Amino acid sequence: MPRSRAVLIGALAVLALAAVPRAATAAPAYGHGPAPAVRAALGAETSNHAPPAPALAGPRGALRPLAELSARRLLTADLVAAAKWGTGQPIDDPERERQVLAAVARQADEVGGDPVGTVTVFRDQIEANKLVQRALHRRWRAAPDQAPTERPDLARVRAEINRINGGLVRAIAASERARTAWLCPVALLPEAARAHRDQALDGPRGVALARALRSVCAPPPIASAGRWPRSPVAP
């Protein structure tokens, strides 16, 4: 792992753990924290997940939508975990992951982005989401009285995730120059901290956000004849 990326992950993890009291670093219970806001969003008739307009110029402005949408995507982990709880359905779903990666690679190509780099970022997004899901399932097994009493519709939750994914693909494509700059970690850290605060992420979700953003800063991609390398997962 490049040193700058390791430093970024460590800084984000420290930020996440320092931002909340020690008691809050246990895995959150379903129904507390950001989950109700996500459930409310799923109940809306329409949802717009286009990348938020950057409020700043320069690299930080370019990276802000990516950090914000990554945090929003992370909030859906509560609902996915609750939808799978008690069904015997494993947290790891390789087929669903292949579908997501193929879809985002195709979308990246359509918007003129880097399919390979986009897939790399989304692998981290998926792993981060599963970190939260596993933490929740561990808590519910240890404390059954805190387990969810309602099961969200997984198809609806995934439809919401797909909409966020579309915004993330566009945010990744729009931030290519900032992401490949040497000072990308310096610009990304305050934007990750801002997303952490604005989305009210607790300790475990803050650590997961660091995992989600691990590959955002990357060396310049290799282009061939004006096109990005083809993604190995693209159909």
Side-chain angles (χ1 to χ4, degrees):
M1 181 186 300
R3 182 174 178 81
S4 62
R5 186 178 299 171
V7 171
L8 173 64
I9 294 172
L12 285 171
V14 170
L15 173 69
L17 293 173
V20 293
R22 180 174 297 273
T25 59
Y30 180 74
H32 298 280
V38 181
R39 290 200 297 272
L42 287 172
E45 293 183 0
T46 60
S47 182
N48 179 14
H49 288 294
L56 296 175
R60 282 189 60 181
L63 293 169
R64 177 168 294 181
L66 208 165
E68 182 177 332
L69 287 168
S70 295
R72 290 185 196 174
R73 191 182 194 279
L74 203 55
L75 297 182
T76 66
D78 293 60
L79 295 172
V80 177
K84 292 181 177 181
W85 177 251
T87 66
Q89 187 173 356
I91 289 174
D92 289 281
D93 188 344
E95 179 58 30
R96 162 67 178 173
E97 292 174 21
R98 282 192 292 269
Q99 292 172 358
V100 169
L101 296 177
V104 298
R106 182 173 60 253
Q107 292 167 13
D109 192 56
E110 290 171 353
V111 300
D114 170 14
V116 173
T118 300
V119 166
T120 299
V121 172
F122 268 90
R123 289 189 193 279
D124 289 335
Q125 298 278 330
I126 291 169
E127 290 304 315
N129 199 286
K130 291 191 292 186
L131 283 177
V132 177
Q133 293 180 50
R134 292 189 186 106
L136 287 167
H137 278 206
R138 284 195 300 269
R139 177 161 187 160
W140 297 338
R141 284 193 294 268
D145 59 309
Q146 296 181 8
T149 57
E150 58 182 273
R151 181 169 293 125
D153 183 342
L154 187 56
R156 288 189 67 198
V157 177
R158 285 177 168 174
E160 180 72 3
I161 293 172
N162 289 343
R163 285 190 287 270
I164 297 174
N165 288 351
L168 265 171
V169 168
R170 294 188 291 277
I172 292 168
S175 61
E176 184 270 333
R177 179 173 294 182
R179 292 188 304 102
T180 57
W182 288 110
L183 292 178
C184 174
V186 176
L188 180 59
L189 181 57
E191 292 310 314
R194 181 180 184 274
H196 178 281
R197 182 191 68 244
D198 289 352
Q199 299 299 327
L201 301 184
D202 58 12
R205 291 185 184 85
V207 173
L209 180 62
R211 181 66 173 88
L213 297 173
R214 187 177 73 168
S215 297
V216 166
C217 295
I222 301 173
S224 175
R227 290 185 59 81
W228 298 101
R230 185 173 178 81
S231 168
V233 302

mmCIF file of all heavy atoms in Angstrom, residues 146-194:
data_model
loop_
_atom_site.group_PDB
_atom_site.id
_atom_site.type_symbol
_atom_site.label_atom_id
_atom_site.label_comp_id
_atom_site.label_asym_id
_atom_site.label_seq_id
_atom_site.Cartn_x
_atom_site.Cartn_y
_atom_site.Cartn_z
ATOM 1 N N GLN A 146 -31.465 -6.383 21.038
ATOM 2 C CA GLN A 146 -31.177 -5.212 20.218
ATOM 3 C C GLN A 146 -31.315 -5.505 18.722
ATOM 4 O O GLN A 146 -31.118 -4.606 17.906
ATOM 5 C CB GLN A 146 -29.762 -4.705 20.520
ATOM 6 C CG GLN A 146 -29.593 -4.216 21.941
ATOM 7 C CD GLN A 146 -28.193 -3.694 22.216
ATOM 8 O OE1 GLN A 146 -27.379 -3.553 21.312
ATOM 9 N NE2 GLN A 146 -27.916 -3.397 23.468
ATOM 10 N N ALA A 147 -31.638 -6.735 18.371
ATOM 11 C CA ALA A 147 -31.788 -7.109 16.963
ATOM 12 C C ALA A 147 -33.016 -6.426 16.375
ATOM 13 O O ALA A 147 -33.960 -6.077 17.086
ATOM 14 C CB ALA A 147 -31.911 -8.617 16.830
ATOM 15 N N PRO A 148 -33.031 -6.204 15.069
ATOM 16 C CA PRO A 148 -34.178 -5.533 14.439
ATOM 17 C C PRO A 148 -35.436 -6.359 14.539
ATOM 18 O O PRO A 148 -35.408 -7.586 14.478
ATOM 19 C CB PRO A 148 -33.724 -5.377 12.977
ATOM 20 C CG PRO A 148 -32.681 -6.419 12.782
ATOM 21 C CD PRO A 148 -31.981 -6.554 14.102
ATOM 22 N N THR A 149 -36.538 -5.672 14.709
ATOM 23 C CA THR A 149 -37.834 -6.335 14.767
ATOM 24 C C THR A 149 -38.599 -6.182 13.460
ATOM 25 O O THR A 149 -39.699 -6.701 13.323
ATOM 26 C CB THR A 149 -38.677 -5.740 15.915
ATOM 27 O OG1 THR A 149 -38.800 -4.327 15.718
ATOM 28 C CG2 THR A 149 -38.002 -6.001 17.262
ATOM 29 N N GLU A 150 -38.034 -5.455 12.518
ATOM 30 C CA GLU A 150 -38.635 -5.312 11.186
ATOM 31 C C GLU A 150 -37.567 -5.608 10.144
ATOM 32 O O GLU A 150 -36.377 -5.408 10.392
ATOM 33 C CB GLU A 150 -39.172 -3.890 10.991
ATOM 34 C CG GLU A 150 -38.118 -2.815 11.160
ATOM 35 C CD GLU A 150 -38.678 -1.421 11.019
ATOM 36 O OE1 GLU A 150 -38.749 -0.928 9.875
ATOM 37 O OE2 GLU A 150 -39.035 -0.821 12.052
ATOM 38 N N ARG A 151 -37.995 -6.115 9.012
ATOM 39 C CA ARG A 151 -37.048 -6.473 7.972
ATOM 40 C C ARG A 151 -37.287 -5.585 6.740
ATOM 41 O O ARG A 151 -38.302 -5.701 6.064
ATOM 42 C CB ARG A 151 -37.187 -7.949 7.591
ATOM 43 C CG ARG A 151 -36.194 -8.402 6.520
ATOM 44 C CD ARG A 151 -36.179 -9.914 6.360
ATOM 45 N NE ARG A 151 -35.640 -10.543 7.551
ATOM 46 C CZ ARG A 151 -36.275 -11.476 8.258
ATOM 47 N NH1 ARG A 151 -37.484 -11.875 7.898
ATOM 48 N NH2 ARG A 151 -35.723 -11.996 9.327
ATOM 49 N N PRO A 152 -36.347 -4.690 6.440
ATOM 50 C CA PRO A 152 -36.507 -3.843 5.252
ATOM 51 C C PRO A 152 -36.538 -4.689 3.981
ATOM 52 O O PRO A 152 -36.020 -5.809 3.941
ATOM 53 C CB PRO A 152 -35.259 -2.948 5.281
ATOM 54 C CG PRO A 152 -34.770 -3.018 6.691
ATOM 55 C CD PRO A 152 -35.124 -4.383 7.186
ATOM 56 N N ASP A 153 -37.147 -4.146 2.966
ATOM 57 C CA ASP A 153 -37.194 -4.794 1.653
ATOM 58 C C ASP A 153 -35.820 -4.632 1.002
ATOM 59 O O ASP A 153 -35.432 -3.525 0.621
ATOM 60 C CB ASP A 153 -38.273 -4.136 0.798
ATOM 61 C CG ASP A 153 -38.445 -4.808 -0.566
ATOM 62 O OD1 ASP A 153 -37.538 -5.539 -1.000
ATOM 63 O OD2 ASP A 153 -39.490 -4.577 -1.200
ATOM 64 N N LEU A 154 -35.086 -5.730 0.869
ATOM 65 C CA LEU A 154 -33.724 -5.659 0.354
ATOM 66 C C LEU A 154 -33.694 -5.129 -1.079
ATOM 67 O O LEU A 154 -32.749 -4.414 -1.456
ATOM 68 C CB LEU A 154 -33.064 -7.036 0.419
ATOM 69 C CG LEU A 154 -31.574 -7.095 0.056
ATOM 70 C CD1 LEU A 154 -30.758 -6.160 0.917
ATOM 71 C CD2 LEU A 154 -31.059 -8.529 0.175
ATOM 72 N N ALA A 155 -34.720 -5.436 -1.871
ATOM 73 C CA ALA A 155 -34.749 -4.941 -3.247
ATOM 74 C C ALA A 155 -34.828 -3.411 -3.270
ATOM 75 O O ALA A 155 -34.161 -2.757 -4.080
ATOM 76 C CB ALA A 155 -35.930 -5.545 -4.002
ATOM 77 N N ARG A 156 -35.637 -2.837 -2.372
ATOM 78 C CA ARG A 156 -35.739 -1.375 -2.302
ATOM 79 C C ARG A 156 -34.440 -0.752 -1.812
ATOM 80 O O ARG A 156 -34.008 0.298 -2.301
ATOM 81 C CB ARG A 156 -36.880 -0.973 -1.371
ATOM 82 C CG ARG A 156 -38.283 -1.236 -1.919
ATOM 83 C CD ARG A 156 -39.320 -0.593 -1.026
ATOM 84 N NE ARG A 156 -39.229 0.857 -1.062
ATOM 85 C CZ ARG A 156 -39.758 1.666 -0.143
ATOM 86 N NH1 ARG A 156 -40.381 1.159 0.908
ATOM 87 N NH2 ARG A 156 -39.654 2.960 -0.256
ATOM 88 N N VAL A 157 -33.822 -1.394 -0.829
ATOM 89 C CA VAL A 157 -32.558 -0.870 -0.319
ATOM 90 C C VAL A 157 -31.508 -0.887 -1.423
ATOM 91 O O VAL A 157 -30.754 0.080 -1.609
ATOM 92 C CB VAL A 157 -32.080 -1.698 0.890
ATOM 93 C CG1 VAL A 157 -30.712 -1.197 1.370
ATOM 94 C CG2 VAL A 157 -33.098 -1.633 2.032
ATOM 95 N N ARG A 158 -31.454 -1.979 -2.174
ATOM 96 C CA ARG A 158 -30.466 -2.072 -3.251
ATOM 97 C C ARG A 158 -30.751 -1.080 -4.368
ATOM 98 O O ARG A 158 -29.821 -0.575 -5.004
ATOM 99 C CB ARG A 158 -30.417 -3.502 -3.789
ATOM 100 C CG ARG A 158 -29.694 -4.449 -2.838
ATOM 101 C CD ARG A 158 -29.692 -5.883 -3.317
ATOM 102 N NE ARG A 158 -28.758 -6.689 -2.516
ATOM 103 C CZ ARG A 158 -28.635 -8.003 -2.635
ATOM 104 N NH1 ARG A 158 -29.397 -8.668 -3.506
ATOM 105 N NH2 ARG A 158 -27.761 -8.651 -1.884
ATOM 106 N N ALA A 159 -32.016 -0.787 -4.617
ATOM 107 C CA ALA A 159 -32.343 0.234 -5.614
ATOM 108 C C ALA A 159 -31.802 1.592 -5.171
ATOM 109 O O ALA A 159 -31.287 2.374 -5.984
ATOM 110 C CB ALA A 159 -33.855 0.297 -5.828
ATOM 111 N N GLU A 160 -31.908 1.875 -3.876
ATOM 112 C CA GLU A 160 -31.367 3.123 -3.344
ATOM 113 C C GLU A 160 -29.842 3.138 -3.463
ATOM 114 O O GLU A 160 -29.237 4.145 -3.852
ATOM 115 C CB GLU A 160 -31.778 3.276 -1.883
ATOM 116 C CG GLU A 160 -31.270 4.536 -1.212
ATOM 117 C CD GLU A 160 -31.964 5.799 -1.694
ATOM 118 O OE1 GLU A 160 -32.897 5.702 -2.515
ATOM 119 O OE2 GLU A 160 -31.557 6.888 -1.252
ATOM 120 N N ILE A 161 -29.200 2.019 -3.151
ATOM 121 C CA ILE A 161 -27.748 1.923 -3.286
ATOM 122 C C ILE A 161 -27.336 2.139 -4.740
ATOM 123 O O ILE A 161 -26.347 2.826 -5.019
ATOM 124 C CB ILE A 161 -27.247 0.562 -2.771
ATOM 125 C CG1 ILE A 161 -27.447 0.459 -1.255
ATOM 126 C CG2 ILE A 161 -25.772 0.360 -3.114
ATOM 127 C CD1 ILE A 161 -27.162 -0.912 -0.675
ATOM 128 N N ASN A 162 -28.094 1.572 -5.663
ATOM 129 C CA ASN A 162 -27.771 1.744 -7.082
ATOM 130 C C ASN A 162 -27.827 3.211 -7.488
ATOM 131 O O ASN A 162 -27.013 3.670 -8.300
ATOM 132 C CB ASN A 162 -28.730 0.925 -7.938
ATOM 133 C CG ASN A 162 -28.474 -0.573 -7.835
ATOM 134 O OD1 ASN A 162 -27.407 -1.001 -7.389
ATOM 135 N ND2 ASN A 162 -29.449 -1.368 -8.234
ATOM 136 N N ARG A 163 -28.784 3.962 -6.939
ATOM 137 C CA ARG A 163 -28.867 5.383 -7.268
ATOM 138 C C ARG A 163 -27.657 6.143 -6.709
ATOM 139 O O ARG A 163 -27.097 7.022 -7.377
ATOM 140 C CB ARG A 163 -30.174 5.972 -6.730
ATOM 141 C CG ARG A 163 -31.400 5.581 -7.546
ATOM 142 C CD ARG A 163 -32.630 6.383 -7.132
ATOM 143 N NE ARG A 163 -33.146 5.964 -5.846
ATOM 144 C CZ ARG A 163 -34.058 5.004 -5.683
ATOM 145 N NH1 ARG A 163 -34.514 4.351 -6.740
ATOM 146 N NH2 ARG A 163 -34.498 4.689 -4.471
ATOM 147 N N ILE A 164 -27.271 5.787 -5.489
ATOM 148 C CA ILE A 164 -26.072 6.410 -4.927
ATOM 149 C C ILE A 164 -24.848 6.035 -5.753
ATOM 150 O O ILE A 164 -23.971 6.865 -6.013
ATOM 151 C CB ILE A 164 -25.883 5.992 -3.460
ATOM 152 C CG1 ILE A 164 -27.055 6.475 -2.607
ATOM 153 C CG2 ILE A 164 -24.562 6.538 -2.903
ATOM 154 C CD1 ILE A 164 -27.024 5.990 -1.169
ATOM 155 N N ASN A 165 -24.796 4.777 -6.184
ATOM 156 C CA ASN A 165 -23.675 4.324 -7.011
ATOM 157 C C ASN A 165 -23.526 5.177 -8.264
ATOM 158 O O ASN A 165 -22.411 5.526 -8.663
ATOM 159 C CB ASN A 165 -23.865 2.863 -7.418
ATOM 160 C CG ASN A 165 -23.660 1.896 -6.264
ATOM 161 O OD1 ASN A 165 -23.218 2.276 -5.184
ATOM 162 N ND2 ASN A 165 -23.997 0.643 -6.485
ATOM 163 N N GLY A 166 -24.648 5.506 -8.896
ATOM 164 C CA GLY A 166 -24.586 6.322 -10.106
ATOM 165 C C GLY A 166 -23.967 7.683 -9.835
ATOM 166 O O GLY A 166 -23.148 8.187 -10.618
ATOM 167 N N GLY A 167 -24.347 8.289 -8.710
ATOM 168 C CA GLY A 167 -23.740 9.564 -8.341
ATOM 169 C C GLY A 167 -22.261 9.422 -8.044
ATOM 170 O O GLY A 167 -21.447 10.280 -8.415
ATOM 171 N N LEU A 168 -21.882 8.338 -7.402
ATOM 172 C CA LEU A 168 -20.480 8.103 -7.098
ATOM 173 C C LEU A 168 -19.653 7.912 -8.369
ATOM 174 O O LEU A 168 -18.522 8.413 -8.467
ATOM 175 C CB LEU A 168 -20.338 6.867 -6.201
ATOM 176 C CG LEU A 168 -20.256 7.112 -4.699
ATOM 177 C CD1 LEU A 168 -20.347 5.797 -3.936
ATOM 178 C CD2 LEU A 168 -18.975 7.850 -4.340
ATOM 179 N N VAL A 169 -20.188 7.191 -9.321
ATOM 180 C CA VAL A 169 -19.470 7.005 -10.593
ATOM 181 C C VAL A 169 -19.171 8.356 -11.228
ATOM 182 O O VAL A 169 -18.048 8.624 -11.687
ATOM 183 C CB VAL A 169 -20.283 6.122 -11.560
ATOM 184 C CG1 VAL A 169 -19.687 6.162 -12.969
ATOM 185 C CG2 VAL A 169 -20.325 4.681 -11.065
ATOM 186 N N ARG A 170 -20.168 9.235 -11.253
ATOM 187 C CA ARG A 170 -19.961 10.552 -11.853
ATOM 188 C C ARG A 170 -18.984 11.392 -11.028
ATOM 189 O O ARG A 170 -18.177 12.141 -11.584
ATOM 190 C CB ARG A 170 -21.313 11.269 -12.004
ATOM 191 C CG ARG A 170 -22.248 10.572 -13.003
ATOM 192 C CD ARG A 170 -23.486 11.400 -13.292
ATOM 193 N NE ARG A 170 -24.379 11.483 -12.151
ATOM 194 C CZ ARG A 170 -25.280 10.563 -11.832
ATOM 195 N NH1 ARG A 170 -25.391 9.456 -12.553
ATOM 196 N NH2 ARG A 170 -26.073 10.726 -10.786
ATOM 197 N N ALA A 171 -19.051 11.252 -9.697
ATOM 198 C CA ALA A 171 -18.131 11.995 -8.839
ATOM 199 C C ALA A 171 -16.693 11.526 -9.031
ATOM 200 O O ALA A 171 -15.757 12.328 -9.025
ATOM 201 C CB ALA A 171 -18.546 11.847 -7.373
ATOM 202 N N ILE A 172 -16.513 10.228 -9.209
ATOM 203 C CA ILE A 172 -15.169 9.690 -9.458
ATOM 204 C C ILE A 172 -14.627 10.217 -10.784
ATOM 205 O O ILE A 172 -13.477 10.647 -10.881
ATOM 206 C CB ILE A 172 -15.203 8.147 -9.452
ATOM 207 C CG1 ILE A 172 -15.503 7.634 -8.040
ATOM 208 C CG2 ILE A 172 -13.877 7.569 -9.949
ATOM 209 C CD1 ILE A 172 -15.837 6.154 -7.982
ATOM 210 N N ALA A 173 -15.467 10.208 -11.809
ATOM 211 C CA ALA A 173 -15.033 10.686 -13.124
ATOM 212 C C ALA A 173 -14.711 12.178 -13.088
ATOM 213 O O ALA A 173 -13.732 12.635 -13.682
ATOM 214 C CB ALA A 173 -16.115 10.405 -14.168
ATOM 215 N N ALA A 174 -15.532 12.945 -12.372
ATOM 216 C CA ALA A 174 -15.346 14.400 -12.337
ATOM 217 C C ALA A 174 -14.126 14.819 -11.523
ATOM 218 O O ALA A 174 -13.624 15.936 -11.688
ATOM 219 C CB ALA A 174 -16.602 15.064 -11.768
ATOM 220 N N SER A 175 -13.644 13.927 -10.642
ATOM 221 C CA SER A 175 -12.534 14.288 -9.746
ATOM 222 C C SER A 175 -11.215 13.640 -10.164
ATOM 223 O O SER A 175 -10.281 13.587 -9.367
ATOM 224 C CB SER A 175 -12.872 13.871 -8.314
ATOM 225 O OG SER A 175 -13.072 12.470 -8.220
ATOM 226 N N GLU A 176 -11.126 13.184 -11.403
ATOM 227 C CA GLU A 176 -9.933 12.433 -11.840
ATOM 228 C C GLU A 176 -8.650 13.214 -11.619
ATOM 229 O O GLU A 176 -7.650 12.676 -11.115
ATOM 230 C CB GLU A 176 -10.085 12.035 -13.306
ATOM 231 C CG GLU A 176 -8.949 11.162 -13.830
ATOM 232 C CD GLU A 176 -7.812 11.963 -14.420
ATOM 233 O OE1 GLU A 176 -8.065 13.088 -14.894
ATOM 234 O OE2 GLU A 176 -6.670 11.468 -14.406
ATOM 235 N N ARG A 177 -8.653 14.507 -11.949
ATOM 236 C CA ARG A 177 -7.428 15.294 -11.789
ATOM 237 C C ARG A 177 -7.043 15.409 -10.315
ATOM 238 O O ARG A 177 -5.865 15.270 -9.966
ATOM 239 C CB ARG A 177 -7.602 16.683 -12.400
ATOM 240 C CG ARG A 177 -6.368 17.564 -12.259
ATOM 241 C CD ARG A 177 -6.509 18.862 -13.024
ATOM 242 N NE ARG A 177 -6.566 18.630 -14.472
ATOM 243 C CZ ARG A 177 -6.646 19.597 -15.378
ATOM 244 N NH1 ARG A 177 -6.685 20.873 -14.992
ATOM 245 N NH2 ARG A 177 -6.700 19.307 -16.655
ATOM 246 N N ALA A 178 -8.013 15.646 -9.466
ATOM 247 C CA ALA A 178 -7.723 15.762 -8.035
ATOM 248 C C ALA A 178 -7.275 14.424 -7.453
ATOM 249 O O ALA A 178 -6.371 14.373 -6.608
ATOM 250 C CB ALA A 178 -8.957 16.267 -7.288
ATOM 251 N N ARG A 179 -7.885 13.337 -7.898
ATOM 252 C CA ARG A 179 -7.569 12.028 -7.344
ATOM 253 C C ARG A 179 -6.165 11.566 -7.720
ATOM 254 O O ARG A 179 -5.555 10.765 -6.998
ATOM 255 C CB ARG A 179 -8.591 10.991 -7.804
ATOM 256 C CG ARG A 179 -9.979 11.189 -7.225
ATOM 257 C CD ARG A 179 -10.916 10.038 -7.533
ATOM 258 N NE ARG A 179 -11.040 9.778 -8.957
ATOM 259 C CZ ARG A 179 -10.446 8.802 -9.604
ATOM 260 N NH1 ARG A 179 -9.656 7.953 -8.965
ATOM 261 N NH2 ARG A 179 -10.627 8.639 -10.907
ATOM 262 N N THR A 180 -5.661 12.020 -8.857
ATOM 263 C CA THR A 180 -4.339 11.576 -9.300
ATOM 264 C C THR A 180 -3.248 12.584 -8.953
ATOM 265 O O THR A 180 -2.094 12.387 -9.328
ATOM 266 C CB THR A 180 -4.347 11.314 -10.813
ATOM 267 O OG1 THR A 180 -4.772 12.500 -11.508
ATOM 268 C CG2 THR A 180 -5.297 10.177 -11.164
ATOM 269 N N ALA A 181 -3.597 13.653 -8.256
ATOM 270 C CA ALA A 181 -2.596 14.634 -7.845
ATOM 271 C C ALA A 181 -1.827 14.119 -6.638
ATOM 272 O O ALA A 181 -2.356 13.363 -5.813
ATOM 273 C CB ALA A 181 -3.271 15.959 -7.508
ATOM 274 N N TRP A 182 -0.588 14.550 -6.507
ATOM 275 C CA TRP A 182 0.239 14.095 -5.391
ATOM 276 C C TRP A 182 -0.339 14.535 -4.054
ATOM 277 O O TRP A 182 -0.165 13.853 -3.035
ATOM 278 C CB TRP A 182 1.665 14.624 -5.552
ATOM 279 C CG TRP A 182 2.430 13.947 -6.646
ATOM 280 C CD1 TRP A 182 2.801 14.480 -7.831
ATOM 281 C CD2 TRP A 182 2.891 12.597 -6.651
ATOM 282 N NE1 TRP A 182 3.473 13.553 -8.603
ATOM 283 C CE2 TRP A 182 3.540 12.380 -7.894
ATOM 284 C CE3 TRP A 182 2.825 11.539 -5.750
ATOM 285 C CZ2 TRP A 182 4.119 11.163 -8.238
ATOM 286 C CZ3 TRP A 182 3.391 10.322 -6.090
ATOM 287 C CH2 TRP A 182 4.028 10.145 -7.323
ATOM 288 N N LEU A 183 -1.013 15.680 -4.018
ATOM 289 C CA LEU A 183 -1.556 16.195 -2.769
ATOM 290 C C LEU A 183 -2.988 15.721 -2.517
ATOM 291 O O LEU A 183 -3.675 16.263 -1.649
ATOM 292 C CB LEU A 183 -1.504 17.726 -2.767
ATOM 293 C CG LEU A 183 -0.099 18.338 -2.704
ATOM 294 C CD1 LEU A 183 -0.183 19.859 -2.760
ATOM 295 C CD2 LEU A 183 0.634 17.884 -1.440
ATOM 296 N N CYS A 184 -3.434 14.710 -3.244
ATOM 297 C CA CYS A 184 -4.799 14.200 -3.053
ATOM 298 C C CYS A 184 -5.083 13.831 -1.599
ATOM 299 O O CYS A 184 -6.126 14.227 -1.057
ATOM 300 C CB CYS A 184 -5.045 13.003 -3.970
ATOM 301 S SG CYS A 184 -6.640 12.189 -3.698
ATOM 302 N N PRO A 185 -4.209 13.109 -0.896
ATOM 303 C CA PRO A 185 -4.528 12.770 0.505
ATOM 304 C C PRO A 185 -4.720 13.996 1.382
ATOM 305 O O PRO A 185 -5.564 13.992 2.287
ATOM 306 C CB PRO A 185 -3.313 11.945 0.951
ATOM 307 C CG PRO A 185 -2.750 11.375 -0.306
ATOM 308 C CD PRO A 185 -2.961 12.443 -1.349
ATOM 309 N N VAL A 186 -3.955 15.052 1.111
ATOM 310 C CA VAL A 186 -4.074 16.282 1.898
ATOM 311 C C VAL A 186 -5.441 16.932 1.663
ATOM 312 O O VAL A 186 -6.054 17.466 2.583
ATOM 313 C CB VAL A 186 -2.939 17.264 1.541
ATOM 314 C CG1 VAL A 186 -3.103 18.587 2.276
ATOM 315 C CG2 VAL A 186 -1.586 16.641 1.852
ATOM 316 N N ALA A 187 -5.916 16.874 0.421
ATOM 317 C CA ALA A 187 -7.213 17.462 0.088
ATOM 318 C C ALA A 187 -8.364 16.580 0.544
ATOM 319 O O ALA A 187 -9.431 17.076 0.947
ATOM 320 C CB ALA A 187 -7.300 17.710 -1.421
ATOM 321 N N LEU A 188 -8.175 15.258 0.503
ATOM 322 C CA LEU A 188 -9.265 14.341 0.829
ATOM 323 C C LEU A 188 -9.550 14.285 2.328
ATOM 324 O O LEU A 188 -10.714 14.165 2.734
ATOM 325 C CB LEU A 188 -8.941 12.938 0.313
ATOM 326 C CG LEU A 188 -9.988 11.853 0.576
ATOM 327 C CD1 LEU A 188 -11.333 12.216 -0.056
ATOM 328 C CD2 LEU A 188 -9.504 10.498 0.051
ATOM 329 N N LEU A 189 -8.530 14.365 3.146
ATOM 330 C CA LEU A 189 -8.707 14.200 4.589
ATOM 331 C C LEU A 189 -9.731 15.172 5.174
ATOM 332 O O LEU A 189 -10.656 14.745 5.884
ATOM 333 C CB LEU A 189 -7.362 14.326 5.300
ATOM 334 C CG LEU A 189 -7.389 14.146 6.818
ATOM 335 C CD1 LEU A 189 -7.990 12.796 7.195
ATOM 336 C CD2 LEU A 189 -5.987 14.282 7.399
ATOM 337 N N PRO A 190 -9.636 16.498 4.914
ATOM 338 C CA PRO A 190 -10.652 17.390 5.491
ATOM 339 C C PRO A 190 -12.041 17.165 4.915
ATOM 340 O O PRO A 190 -13.045 17.387 5.606
ATOM 341 C CB PRO A 190 -10.129 18.794 5.156
ATOM 342 C CG PRO A 190 -9.184 18.606 4.018
ATOM 343 C CD PRO A 190 -8.578 17.252 4.217
ATOM 344 N N GLU A 191 -12.131 16.708 3.670
ATOM 345 C CA GLU A 191 -13.452 16.440 3.091
ATOM 346 C C GLU A 191 -14.059 15.171 3.694
ATOM 347 O O GLU A 191 -15.275 15.087 3.890
ATOM 348 C CB GLU A 191 -13.343 16.332 1.569
ATOM 349 C CG GLU A 191 -13.009 17.644 0.894
ATOM 350 C CD GLU A 191 -13.907 18.788 1.344
ATOM 351 O OE1 GLU A 191 -15.140 18.583 1.398
ATOM 352 O OE2 GLU A 191 -13.382 19.869 1.659
ATOM 353 N N ALA A 192 -13.212 14.196 3.976
ATOM 354 C CA ALA A 192 -13.703 13.003 4.667
ATOM 355 C C ALA A 192 -14.168 13.362 6.075
ATOM 356 O O ALA A 192 -15.204 12.869 6.547
ATOM 357 C CB ALA A 192 -12.606 11.945 4.717
ATOM 358 N N ALA A 193 -13.421 14.230 6.744
ATOM 359 C CA ALA A 193 -13.817 14.672 8.082
ATOM 360 C C ALA A 193 -15.142 15.431 8.036
ATOM 361 O O ALA A 193 -15.990 15.280 8.928
ATOM 362 C CB ALA A 193 -12.717 15.553 8.675
ATOM 363 N N ARG A 194 -15.318 16.220 7.002
ATOM 364 C CA ARG A 194 -16.562 16.979 6.842
ATOM 365 C C ARG A 194 -17.742 16.026 6.626
ATOM 366 O O ARG A 194 -18.815 16.189 7.237
ATOM 367 C CB ARG A 194 -16.430 17.930 5.655
ATOM 368 C CG ARG A 194 -17.649 18.801 5.379
ATOM 369 C CD ARG A 194 -17.381 19.694 4.169
ATOM 370 N NE ARG A 194 -18.464 20.611 3.928
ATOM 371 C CZ ARG A 194 -19.559 20.321 3.209
ATOM 372 N NH1 ARG A 194 -19.696 19.127 2.675
ATOM 373 N NH2 ARG A 194 -20.507 21.218 3.034
#
